[in-house]
Amino acid sequence: INYHTSGGNRTTSDAAIPVKPNSSIRFTGRTNVLAKLREHFMAESNDKLRRRKFFLLYGMGGIGKTQICLRFIEEMSDWD
């Protein structure tokens, strides 16, 4: 599948269905939160079973929760 950026702030496929919104180009800081997310999700588990990991990110509306998640996804995608 070929992905391209169309007008606006969205990544779309050839079918023009939003795949994943891009994080804002104005997003800065929050390095401590992103580090905690990396530490949590990259830590190896001693369990023999692979368990799904959860992380609750909460706060008032408009403080950047979605942007933190989008930036984290972008960073994790770059590690591949």
Side-chain angles (χ1 to χ4, degrees):
I1 299 175
N2 295 324
Y3 296 102
H4 63 275
T5 303
S6 64
N9 192 23
R10 298 209 174 259
T11 303
T12 60
S13 69
D14 292 334
I17 299 171
V19 177
K20 178 188 74 65
N22 296 324
S23 66
S24 172
I25 58 173
R26 296 180 188 154
F27 180 88
T28 60
R30 306 298 177 102
T31 54
N32 58 338
V33 176
L34 292 168
K36 287 180 183 181
L37 284 167
R38 272 191 301 276
E39 180 183 319
H40 176 74
F41 286 105
M42 299 303 289
E44 292 193 26
S45 176
N46 292 334
D47 297 345
K48 290 183 179 182
L49 299 174
R50 268 187 98 161
R51 295 187 181 207
R52 183 175 292 186
K53 294 182 179 183
F54 299 92
F55 194 96
L56 176 63
L57 187 60
Y58 66 94
M60 293 176 51
I63 63 170
K65 297 178 299 293
T66 300
Q67 292 302 315
I68 289 170
C69 293
L70 291 173
R71 180 58 56 95
F72 178 69
I73 291 168
E74 287 174 1
E75 288 181 5
M76 296 307 292
S77 297
D78 290 342
W79 287 18
D80 291 342

